[in-house]
Amino acid sequence: RGKMEDMRRTLASYKKSLGQLVFEKEKWDKQTTNANYFVSTAPGNAVLLAATTCYSGLVAGNVRNELFNQWKQACRRKRPGSVHGESLLQFQERLSLQSILTKPSQISTWISGGLPFNQHTIDSTLTMLLALNGCQHHWPLLIDPDRQAINWIKILENTTPDVTKPLSFDYRSQPNQTSSVRKYRRSISIVRWNDANLRQCLVKAMKNGEIVIVDHIESAVLTPVLRDLLEKRSSFNDVGEVVSVLGDELVDCRSSFAVYLRSTVCLSIVDQRPE
């Protein structure tokens, strides 16, 4: 009888182990299927997201959706010479900037911080962050007729998006009443494009890895300082290191330096499709 009980316990243990193995196999099969799907759709996802970030930044939300659907239809066309009717590029059917570039928890953090809860705003946020951090520091242009951009940038920098680096802030800095350069925190400066302190402000921000918002860019004249900033001119210092050029000065620019170009005028292109 004792041996029978031992055998029953052993058999029960084996059944439990087999059940766990079956569960693990199903889980591994599902993960393998998902991995193969992500690999096969990666090229199409990359093309669609690249097109979205390059061409739809300035257009209105309905135009963005129209363009995105047209690009998906183009990817679904049959590949020339295909025997089984494969499409030119496979992509995830529920593809969006949000599904690839961030997580729902991050979006919830943005919204709780005050970011408007709509797809257009969130997609614009992701496009802006991608320009700053994923495209070798391109400076985004913010169309801001309602003057919400300053708070928007504060929210984003405070909540440390997944696609960018965290930047520290300090509210102890008080607005400077003697200049149009207004300091909200140590790492954010707001300066008009024609302010006499623009060059000095940019040099300081470059050296310290701070943020500069160049304001009222819609009326700007392309000065040498702005040209150097937009063209991101670079050179070599005495020891052969790559440095930024701003006017006649070589500046050791930190990677956390960022520039936002802010316009208070709603440009006419936003309701038109790009040619």
Side-chain angles (χ1 to χ4, degrees), residues 14-43:
Y14 286 162
K15 288 182 178 179
K16 183 178 180 180
S17 298
L18 285 173
Q20 291 176 343
L21 289 175
V22 170
F23 173 76
E24 289 296 324
K25 180 181 181 302
E26 292 175 352
K27 185 174 71 172
W28 294 338
D29 288 343
K30 185 177 181 180
Q31 290 177 347
T32 301
T33 301
N34 290 338
N36 289 334
Y37 175 71
F38 286 130
V39 169
S40 64
T41 57

PDB file of all heavy atoms in Angstrom, residues 14-43:
ATOM      1  N   TYR A  14       4.142  14.079 -11.938  1.00  0.00           N
ATOM      2  CA  TYR A  14       4.454  14.049 -13.371  1.00  0.00           C
ATOM      3  C   TYR A  14       3.373  14.770 -14.181  1.00  0.00           C
ATOM      4  O   TYR A  14       3.661  15.518 -15.119  1.00  0.00           O
ATOM      5  CB  TYR A  14       4.603  12.611 -13.857  1.00  0.00           C
ATOM      6  CG  TYR A  14       5.887  11.936 -13.411  1.00  0.00           C
ATOM      7  CD1 TYR A  14       6.015  10.539 -13.449  1.00  0.00           C
ATOM      8  CD2 TYR A  14       6.969  12.684 -12.957  1.00  0.00           C
ATOM      9  CE1 TYR A  14       7.185   9.919 -13.045  1.00  0.00           C
ATOM     10  CE2 TYR A  14       8.138  12.074 -12.545  1.00  0.00           C
ATOM     11  CZ  TYR A  14       8.246  10.699 -12.588  1.00  0.00           C
ATOM     12  OH  TYR A  14       9.397  10.080 -12.179  1.00  0.00           O
ATOM     13  N   LYS A  15       2.091  14.513 -13.811  1.00  0.00           N
ATOM     14  CA  LYS A  15       0.989  15.162 -14.523  1.00  0.00           C
ATOM     15  C   LYS A  15       1.056  16.685 -14.370  1.00  0.00           C
ATOM     16  O   LYS A  15       0.813  17.435 -15.305  1.00  0.00           O
ATOM     17  CB  LYS A  15      -0.347  14.637 -14.001  1.00  0.00           C
ATOM     18  CG  LYS A  15      -0.664  13.215 -14.424  1.00  0.00           C
ATOM     19  CD  LYS A  15      -2.040  12.802 -13.896  1.00  0.00           C
ATOM     20  CE  LYS A  15      -2.395  11.380 -14.366  1.00  0.00           C
ATOM     21  NZ  LYS A  15      -3.718  10.958 -13.833  1.00  0.00           N
ATOM     22  N   LYS A  16       1.379  17.126 -13.156  1.00  0.00           N
ATOM     23  CA  LYS A  16       1.502  18.556 -12.923  1.00  0.00           C
ATOM     24  C   LYS A  16       2.632  19.161 -13.749  1.00  0.00           C
ATOM     25  O   LYS A  16       2.485  20.228 -14.349  1.00  0.00           O
ATOM     26  CB  LYS A  16       1.741  18.822 -11.436  1.00  0.00           C
ATOM     27  CG  LYS A  16       1.821  20.298 -11.075  1.00  0.00           C
ATOM     28  CD  LYS A  16       2.017  20.487  -9.582  1.00  0.00           C
ATOM     29  CE  LYS A  16       2.107  21.958  -9.222  1.00  0.00           C
ATOM     30  NZ  LYS A  16       2.302  22.150  -7.753  1.00  0.00           N
ATOM     31  N   SER A  17       3.769  18.438 -13.783  1.00  0.00           N
ATOM     32  CA  SER A  17       4.905  18.925 -14.568  1.00  0.00           C
ATOM     33  C   SER A  17       4.571  18.971 -16.055  1.00  0.00           C
ATOM     34  O   SER A  17       4.925  19.921 -16.766  1.00  0.00           O
ATOM     35  CB  SER A  17       6.122  18.026 -14.336  1.00  0.00           C
ATOM     36  OG  SER A  17       6.527  18.059 -12.986  1.00  0.00           O
ATOM     37  N   LEU A  18       3.875  17.917 -16.548  1.00  0.00           N
ATOM     38  CA  LEU A  18       3.490  17.897 -17.963  1.00  0.00           C
ATOM     39  C   LEU A  18       2.537  19.042 -18.282  1.00  0.00           C
ATOM     40  O   LEU A  18       2.632  19.679 -19.341  1.00  0.00           O
ATOM     41  CB  LEU A  18       2.837  16.552 -18.302  1.00  0.00           C
ATOM     42  CG  LEU A  18       3.784  15.359 -18.423  1.00  0.00           C
ATOM     43  CD1 LEU A  18       2.993  14.062 -18.593  1.00  0.00           C
ATOM     44  CD2 LEU A  18       4.745  15.545 -19.598  1.00  0.00           C
ATOM     45  N   GLY A  19       1.622  19.307 -17.352  1.00  0.00           N
ATOM     46  CA  GLY A  19       0.704  20.421 -17.554  1.00  0.00           C
ATOM     47  C   GLY A  19       1.438  21.748 -17.641  1.00  0.00           C
ATOM     48  O   GLY A  19       1.120  22.595 -18.482  1.00  0.00           O
ATOM     49  N   GLN A  20       2.430  21.928 -16.778  1.00  0.00           N
ATOM     50  CA  GLN A  20       3.218  23.156 -16.824  1.00  0.00           C
ATOM     51  C   GLN A  20       4.003  23.264 -18.126  1.00  0.00           C
ATOM     52  O   GLN A  20       4.114  24.345 -18.715  1.00  0.00           O
ATOM     53  CB  GLN A  20       4.162  23.199 -15.621  1.00  0.00           C
ATOM     54  CG  GLN A  20       3.450  23.398 -14.291  1.00  0.00           C
ATOM     55  CD  GLN A  20       4.400  23.343 -13.123  1.00  0.00           C
ATOM     56  OE1 GLN A  20       5.528  22.856 -13.238  1.00  0.00           O
ATOM     57  NE2 GLN A  20       3.941  23.823 -11.965  1.00  0.00           N
ATOM     58  N   LEU A  21       4.541  22.125 -18.603  1.00  0.00           N
ATOM     59  CA  LEU A  21       5.290  22.133 -19.860  1.00  0.00           C
ATOM     60  C   LEU A  21       4.387  22.472 -21.042  1.00  0.00           C
ATOM     61  O   LEU A  21       4.794  23.209 -21.952  1.00  0.00           O
ATOM     62  CB  LEU A  21       5.961  20.775 -20.076  1.00  0.00           C
ATOM     63  CG  LEU A  21       7.150  20.459 -19.156  1.00  0.00           C
ATOM     64  CD1 LEU A  21       7.638  19.042 -19.399  1.00  0.00           C
ATOM     65  CD2 LEU A  21       8.286  21.445 -19.394  1.00  0.00           C
ATOM     66  N   VAL A  22       3.169  21.924 -21.034  1.00  0.00           N
ATOM     67  CA  VAL A  22       2.222  22.249 -22.102  1.00  0.00           C
ATOM     68  C   VAL A  22       1.904  23.739 -22.094  1.00  0.00           C
ATOM     69  O   VAL A  22       1.852  24.394 -23.147  1.00  0.00           O
ATOM     70  CB  VAL A  22       0.933  21.412 -21.940  1.00  0.00           C
ATOM     71  CG1 VAL A  22      -0.141  21.916 -22.905  1.00  0.00           C
ATOM     72  CG2 VAL A  22       1.211  19.943 -22.199  1.00  0.00           C
ATOM     73  N   PHE A  23       1.716  24.299 -20.884  1.00  0.00           N
ATOM     74  CA  PHE A  23       1.442  25.728 -20.768  1.00  0.00           C
ATOM     75  C   PHE A  23       2.614  26.551 -21.286  1.00  0.00           C
ATOM     76  O   PHE A  23       2.436  27.525 -22.025  1.00  0.00           O
ATOM     77  CB  PHE A  23       1.157  26.075 -19.311  1.00  0.00           C
ATOM     78  CG  PHE A  23       1.018  27.550 -19.060  1.00  0.00           C
ATOM     79  CD1 PHE A  23      -0.132  28.228 -19.424  1.00  0.00           C
ATOM     80  CD2 PHE A  23       2.060  28.266 -18.469  1.00  0.00           C
ATOM     81  CE1 PHE A  23      -0.254  29.598 -19.204  1.00  0.00           C
ATOM     82  CE2 PHE A  23       1.941  29.630 -18.251  1.00  0.00           C
ATOM     83  CZ  PHE A  23       0.784  30.292 -18.623  1.00  0.00           C
ATOM     84  N   GLU A  24       3.832  26.135 -20.899  1.00  0.00           N
ATOM     85  CA  GLU A  24       5.018  26.856 -21.352  1.00  0.00           C
ATOM     86  C   GLU A  24       5.174  26.760 -22.859  1.00  0.00           C
ATOM     87  O   GLU A  24       5.546  27.726 -23.512  1.00  0.00           O
ATOM     88  CB  GLU A  24       6.266  26.298 -20.660  1.00  0.00           C
ATOM     89  CG  GLU A  24       6.374  26.644 -19.192  1.00  0.00           C
ATOM     90  CD  GLU A  24       6.510  28.131 -18.953  1.00  0.00           C
ATOM     91  OE1 GLU A  24       7.171  28.814 -19.773  1.00  0.00           O
ATOM     92  OE2 GLU A  24       5.948  28.632 -17.965  1.00  0.00           O
ATOM     93  N   LYS A  25       4.871  25.570 -23.433  1.00  0.00           N
ATOM     94  CA  LYS A  25       4.962  25.410 -24.881  1.00  0.00           C
ATOM     95  C   LYS A  25       3.996  26.347 -25.596  1.00  0.00           C
ATOM     96  O   LYS A  25       4.354  26.987 -26.592  1.00  0.00           O
ATOM     97  CB  LYS A  25       4.671  23.962 -25.274  1.00  0.00           C
ATOM     98  CG  LYS A  25       4.756  23.704 -26.785  1.00  0.00           C
ATOM     99  CD  LYS A  25       4.437  22.273 -27.114  1.00  0.00           C
ATOM    100  CE  LYS A  25       4.564  22.038 -28.623  1.00  0.00           C
ATOM    101  NZ  LYS A  25       3.693  22.905 -29.425  1.00  0.00           N
ATOM    102  N   GLU A  26       2.770  26.419 -25.084  1.00  0.00           N
ATOM    103  CA  GLU A  26       1.797  27.315 -25.693  1.00  0.00           C
ATOM    104  C   GLU A  26       2.261  28.762 -25.598  1.00  0.00           C
ATOM    105  O   GLU A  26       2.103  29.552 -26.548  1.00  0.00           O
ATOM    106  CB  GLU A  26       0.437  27.138 -25.008  1.00  0.00           C
ATOM    107  CG  GLU A  26      -0.205  25.779 -25.280  1.00  0.00           C
ATOM    108  CD  GLU A  26      -1.499  25.608 -24.488  1.00  0.00           C
ATOM    109  OE1 GLU A  26      -1.782  26.477 -23.625  1.00  0.00           O
ATOM    110  OE2 GLU A  26      -2.213  24.615 -24.722  1.00  0.00           O
ATOM    111  N   LYS A  27       2.830  29.118 -24.446  1.00  0.00           N
ATOM    112  CA  LYS A  27       3.326  30.487 -24.282  1.00  0.00           C
ATOM    113  C   LYS A  27       4.486  30.765 -25.234  1.00  0.00           C
ATOM    114  O   LYS A  27       4.530  31.826 -25.863  1.00  0.00           O
ATOM    115  CB  LYS A  27       3.764  30.705 -22.835  1.00  0.00           C
ATOM    116  CG  LYS A  27       4.190  32.142 -22.538  1.00  0.00           C
ATOM    117  CD  LYS A  27       4.486  32.344 -21.068  1.00  0.00           C
ATOM    118  CE  LYS A  27       5.772  31.628 -20.661  1.00  0.00           C
ATOM    119  NZ  LYS A  27       6.163  31.985 -19.272  1.00  0.00           N
ATOM    120  N   TRP A  28       5.407  29.794 -25.353  1.00  0.00           N
ATOM    121  CA  TRP A  28       6.549  29.985 -26.255  1.00  0.00           C
ATOM    122  C   TRP A  28       6.095  30.048 -27.708  1.00  0.00           C
ATOM    123  O   TRP A  28       6.627  30.829 -28.501  1.00  0.00           O
ATOM    124  CB  TRP A  28       7.558  28.865 -26.062  1.00  0.00           C
ATOM    125  CG  TRP A  28       8.224  28.870 -24.716  1.00  0.00           C
ATOM    126  CD1 TRP A  28       8.345  29.923 -23.862  1.00  0.00           C
ATOM    127  CD2 TRP A  28       8.828  27.757 -24.062  1.00  0.00           C
ATOM    128  NE1 TRP A  28       8.992  29.547 -22.716  1.00  0.00           N
ATOM    129  CE2 TRP A  28       9.318  28.220 -22.789  1.00  0.00           C
ATOM    130  CE3 TRP A  28       9.017  26.423 -24.385  1.00  0.00           C
ATOM    131  CZ2 TRP A  28       9.962  27.398 -21.890  1.00  0.00           C
ATOM    132  CZ3 TRP A  28       9.675  25.588 -23.487  1.00  0.00           C
ATOM    133  CH2 TRP A  28      10.145  26.073 -22.256  1.00  0.00           C
ATOM    134  N   ASP A  29       5.123  29.209 -28.073  1.00  0.00           N
ATOM    135  CA  ASP A  29       4.611  29.241 -29.447  1.00  0.00           C
ATOM    136  C   ASP A  29       3.990  30.600 -29.758  1.00  0.00           C
ATOM    137  O   ASP A  29       4.191  31.150 -30.848  1.00  0.00           O
ATOM    138  CB  ASP A  29       3.575  28.135 -29.645  1.00  0.00           C
ATOM    139  CG  ASP A  29       4.196  26.744 -29.691  1.00  0.00           C
ATOM    140  OD1 ASP A  29       5.426  26.667 -29.888  1.00  0.00           O
ATOM    141  OD2 ASP A  29       3.456  25.754 -29.512  1.00  0.00           O
ATOM    142  N   LYS A  30       3.252  31.133 -28.795  1.00  0.00           N
ATOM    143  CA  LYS A  30       2.626  32.447 -28.992  1.00  0.00           C
ATOM    144  C   LYS A  30       3.673  33.536 -29.110  1.00  0.00           C
ATOM    145  O   LYS A  30       3.575  34.421 -29.979  1.00  0.00           O
ATOM    146  CB  LYS A  30       1.682  32.735 -27.828  1.00  0.00           C
ATOM    147  CG  LYS A  30       0.898  34.026 -27.987  1.00  0.00           C
ATOM    148  CD  LYS A  30      -0.077  34.224 -26.847  1.00  0.00           C
ATOM    149  CE  LYS A  30      -0.872  35.513 -27.020  1.00  0.00           C
ATOM    150  NZ  LYS A  30      -1.840  35.707 -25.897  1.00  0.00           N
ATOM    151  N   GLN A  31       4.707  33.467 -28.245  1.00  0.00           N
ATOM    152  CA  GLN A  31       5.771  34.475 -28.314  1.00  0.00           C
ATOM    153  C   GLN A  31       6.539  34.375 -29.626  1.00  0.00           C
ATOM    154  O   GLN A  31       6.913  35.393 -30.213  1.00  0.00           O
ATOM    155  CB  GLN A  31       6.719  34.290 -27.128  1.00  0.00           C
ATOM    156  CG  GLN A  31       6.108  34.676 -25.786  1.00  0.00           C
ATOM    157  CD  GLN A  31       7.042  34.419 -24.624  1.00  0.00           C
ATOM    158  OE1 GLN A  31       8.065  33.739 -24.768  1.00  0.00           O
ATOM    159  NE2 GLN A  31       6.701  34.957 -23.460  1.00  0.00           N
ATOM    160  N   THR A  32       6.756  33.141 -30.105  1.00  0.00           N
ATOM    161  CA  THR A  32       7.455  32.956 -31.381  1.00  0.00           C
ATOM    162  C   THR A  32       6.634  33.519 -32.536  1.00  0.00           C
ATOM    163  O   THR A  32       7.163  34.193 -33.429  1.00  0.00           O
ATOM    164  CB  THR A  32       7.733  31.463 -31.621  1.00  0.00           C
ATOM    165  OG1 THR A  32       8.529  30.952 -30.559  1.00  0.00           O
ATOM    166  CG2 THR A  32       8.462  31.251 -32.939  1.00  0.00           C
ATOM    167  N   THR A  33       5.323  33.254 -32.498  1.00  0.00           N
ATOM    168  CA  THR A  33       4.439  33.787 -33.545  1.00  0.00           C
ATOM    169  C   THR A  33       4.453  35.312 -33.542  1.00  0.00           C
ATOM    170  O   THR A  33       4.540  35.950 -34.600  1.00  0.00           O
ATOM    171  CB  THR A  33       3.004  33.272 -33.338  1.00  0.00           C
ATOM    172  OG1 THR A  33       3.006  31.841 -33.385  1.00  0.00           O
ATOM    173  CG2 THR A  33       2.083  33.808 -34.414  1.00  0.00           C
ATOM    174  N   ASN A  34       4.371  35.899 -32.353  1.00  0.00           N
ATOM    175  CA  ASN A  34       4.397  37.367 -32.248  1.00  0.00           C
ATOM    176  C   ASN A  34       5.723  37.933 -32.728  1.00  0.00           C
ATOM    177  O   ASN A  34       5.764  38.954 -33.423  1.00  0.00           O
ATOM    178  CB  ASN A  34       4.138  37.796 -30.809  1.00  0.00           C
ATOM    179  CG  ASN A  34       2.710  37.545 -30.363  1.00  0.00           C
ATOM    180  OD1 ASN A  34       1.810  37.440 -31.195  1.00  0.00           O
ATOM    181  ND2 ASN A  34       2.497  37.434 -29.064  1.00  0.00           N
ATOM    182  N   ALA A  35       6.819  37.249 -32.357  1.00  0.00           N
ATOM    183  CA  ALA A  35       8.144  37.723 -32.775  1.00  0.00           C
ATOM    184  C   ALA A  35       8.285  37.669 -34.289  1.00  0.00           C
ATOM    185  O   ALA A  35       8.794  38.614 -34.909  1.00  0.00           O
ATOM    186  CB  ALA A  35       9.231  36.894 -32.098  1.00  0.00           C
ATOM    187  N   ASN A  36       7.825  36.574 -34.897  1.00  0.00           N
ATOM    188  CA  ASN A  36       7.900  36.455 -36.359  1.00  0.00           C
ATOM    189  C   ASN A  36       7.048  37.526 -37.033  1.00  0.00           C
ATOM    190  O   ASN A  36       7.431  38.080 -38.070  1.00  0.00           O
ATOM    191  CB  ASN A  36       7.436  35.065 -36.795  1.00  0.00           C
ATOM    192  CG  ASN A  36       8.427  33.975 -36.415  1.00  0.00           C
ATOM    193  OD1 ASN A  36       9.617  34.237 -36.267  1.00  0.00           O
ATOM    194  ND2 ASN A  36       7.932  32.761 -36.238  1.00  0.00           N
ATOM    195  N   TYR A  37       5.897  37.827 -36.432  1.00  0.00           N
ATOM    196  CA  TYR A  37       5.016  38.859 -36.982  1.00  0.00           C
ATOM    197  C   TYR A  37       5.682  40.229 -36.911  1.00  0.00           C
ATOM    198  O   TYR A  37       5.666  40.997 -37.883  1.00  0.00           O
ATOM    199  CB  TYR A  37       3.695  38.857 -36.210  1.00  0.00           C
ATOM    200  CG  TYR A  37       2.752  39.962 -36.603  1.00  0.00           C
ATOM    201  CD1 TYR A  37       2.104  39.951 -37.843  1.00  0.00           C
ATOM    202  CD2 TYR A  37       2.496  41.025 -35.741  1.00  0.00           C
ATOM    203  CE1 TYR A  37       1.237  40.964 -38.207  1.00  0.00           C
ATOM    204  CE2 TYR A  37       1.628  42.039 -36.098  1.00  0.00           C
ATOM    205  CZ  TYR A  37       1.003  42.007 -37.324  1.00  0.00           C
ATOM    206  OH  TYR A  37       0.152  43.006 -37.682  1.00  0.00           O
ATOM    207  N   PHE A  38       6.298  40.537 -35.759  1.00  0.00           N
ATOM    208  CA  PHE A  38       6.963  41.828 -35.617  1.00  0.00           C
ATOM    209  C   PHE A  38       8.141  41.953 -36.569  1.00  0.00           C
ATOM    210  O   PHE A  38       8.386  43.018 -37.134  1.00  0.00           O
ATOM    211  CB  PHE A  38       7.425  42.022 -34.174  1.00  0.00           C
ATOM    212  CG  PHE A  38       6.310  42.319 -33.218  1.00  0.00           C
ATOM    213  CD1 PHE A  38       6.170  41.612 -32.043  1.00  0.00           C
ATOM    214  CD2 PHE A  38       5.383  43.316 -33.496  1.00  0.00           C
ATOM    215  CE1 PHE A  38       5.135  41.881 -31.166  1.00  0.00           C
ATOM    216  CE2 PHE A  38       4.340  43.603 -32.626  1.00  0.00           C
ATOM    217  CZ  PHE A  38       4.221  42.870 -31.453  1.00  0.00           C
ATOM    218  N   VAL A  39       8.884  40.853 -36.770  1.00  0.00           N
ATOM    219  CA  VAL A  39      10.027  40.891 -37.686  1.00  0.00           C
ATOM    220  C   VAL A  39       9.554  41.098 -39.116  1.00  0.00           C
ATOM    221  O   VAL A  39      10.120  41.903 -39.877  1.00  0.00           O
ATOM    222  CB  VAL A  39      10.854  39.587 -37.560  1.00  0.00           C
ATOM    223  CG1 VAL A  39      11.881  39.499 -38.684  1.00  0.00           C
ATOM    224  CG2 VAL A  39      11.553  39.525 -36.213  1.00  0.00           C
ATOM    225  N   SER A  40       8.505  40.382 -39.513  1.00  0.00           N
ATOM    226  CA  SER A  40       8.024  40.476 -40.894  1.00  0.00           C
ATOM    227  C   SER A  40       7.394  41.824 -41.202  1.00  0.00           C
ATOM    228  O   SER A  40       7.394  42.275 -42.357  1.00  0.00           O
ATOM    229  CB  SER A  40       7.020  39.348 -41.172  1.00  0.00           C
ATOM    230  OG  SER A  40       5.869  39.490 -40.358  1.00  0.00           O
ATOM    231  N   THR A  41       6.834  42.479 -40.183  1.00  0.00           N
ATOM    232  CA  THR A  41       6.175  43.783 -40.406  1.00  0.00           C
ATOM    233  C   THR A  41       7.086  44.966 -40.107  1.00  0.00           C
ATOM    234  O   THR A  41       6.693  46.108 -40.345  1.00  0.00           O
ATOM    235  CB  THR A  41       4.908  43.900 -39.538  1.00  0.00           C
ATOM    236  OG1 THR A  41       5.263  43.720 -38.153  1.00  0.00           O
ATOM    237  CG2 THR A  41       3.887  42.847 -39.931  1.00  0.00           C
ATOM    238  N   ALA A  42       8.279  44.710 -39.593  1.00  0.00           N
ATOM    239  CA  ALA A  42       9.180  45.806 -39.210  1.00  0.00           C
ATOM    240  C   ALA A  42       9.516  46.738 -40.373  1.00  0.00           C
ATOM    241  O   ALA A  42       9.471  47.970 -40.208  1.00  0.00           O
ATOM    242  CB  ALA A  42      10.454  45.247 -38.576  1.00  0.00           C
ATOM    243  N   PRO A  43       9.857  46.223 -41.584  1.00  0.00           N
ATOM    244  CA  PRO A  43      10.167  47.155 -42.682  1.00  0.00           C
ATOM    245  C   PRO A  43       8.994  48.062 -43.040  1.00  0.00           C
ATOM    246  O   PRO A  43       9.164  49.275 -43.229  1.00  0.00           O
ATOM    247  CB  PRO A  43      10.529  46.214 -43.842  1.00  0.00           C
ATOM    248  CG  PRO A  43      10.982  44.956 -43.184  1.00  0.00           C
ATOM    249  CD  PRO A  43      10.116  44.823 -41.974  1.00  0.00           C
TER     250      PRO A  43
END
